[in-house]
Amino acid sequence: ADNPLWLSEGLAMFFESPDVSNSQGWGTIGKVNVHNLKLFSQYLRNRPADSLTTLITDDSRFRDATTAPQAYPESWALTYFLMKTKKRNYAAYIKELAEQPPFGEVSSRDRIEMFKKHFGSDLEKLDHDFINYIRRLFR
């Protein structure tokens, strides 16, 4: 299915929390990914107001060498935020994505509408809550 890259990559990074104190190099699933948190905090200084929307609506930021270094940590941060604060909504969103027909394509408009269906229509408020939540992790 045409799963958004922010979801696929964010979920993958949610499972890869490096832990240098662990002899195997991996920590607990869902632990704060310190590397991505640091990268996202650097991006926040110049993060455009439409960053959340562009992340959700299409995959172009992941395919552009100039924007991919910010898209990946933002997708981790968004995934972390949603998994920790809106777990049921996140599960329902993934379930609906899984029900999409194979090899189908989802338009940018449909992507944003599906996202709003599960996480609320006020993306500005969600973005504000998202950034505030992630900023608390810096402390």
Side-chain angles (χ1 to χ4, degrees):
D2 184 20
N3 294 320
L5 278 178
W6 78 264
L7 177 76
S8 301
E9 297 300 332
L11 191 56
M13 288 182 281
F14 185 82
F15 281 86
E16 62 177 29
S17 300
D19 183 355
V20 294
S21 65
N22 185 320
S23 63
Q24 295 179 338
W26 299 102
T28 306
I29 292 171
K31 185 176 174 183
V32 171
N33 187 312
V34 178
H35 175 71
N36 282 309
L37 180 62
K38 180 180 177 185
L39 293 174
F40 186 63
S41 71
Q42 293 167 353
Y43 174 58
L44 278 176
R45 296 178 198 137
N46 299 309
R47 184 177 180 259
D50 67 344
S51 190
L52 178 64
T53 302
T54 62
L55 190 74
I56 294 165
T57 55
D58 71 51
D59 299 333
S60 61
R61 287 178 52 198
F62 292 91
R63 295 189 173 109
D64 181 337
T66 61
T67 56
Q70 297 84 30
Y72 281 92
E74 185 169 15
S75 67
W76 166 79
L78 179 59
T79 299
Y80 188 86
F81 165 72
L82 294 173
M83 289 284 284
K84 297 295 183 178
T85 66
K86 300 180 182 307
K87 194 179 289 187
R88 287 186 180 166
N89 303 70
Y90 189 81
Y93 176 71
I94 289 176
K95 185 177 186 301
E96 184 170 349
L97 281 170
E99 294 168 352
Q100 299 298 310
F103 307 110
E105 289 189 29
V106 180
S107 70
S108 293
R109 181 182 171 143
D110 289 342
R111 277 189 180 189
I112 200 80
E113 291 306 315
M114 187 184 303
F115 187 88
K116 286 178 177 181
K117 175 182 172 185
H118 293 282
F119 302 109
S121 60
D122 189 346
L123 290 184
E124 190 174 315
K125 180 183 180 333
L126 181 74
D127 191 47
H128 180 265
D129 294 346
F130 162 48
I131 297 306
N132 284 340
Y133 182 87
I134 296 299
R135 280 193 170 131
R136 286 194 294 269
L137 300 176
F138 300 156
R139 298 177 192 147

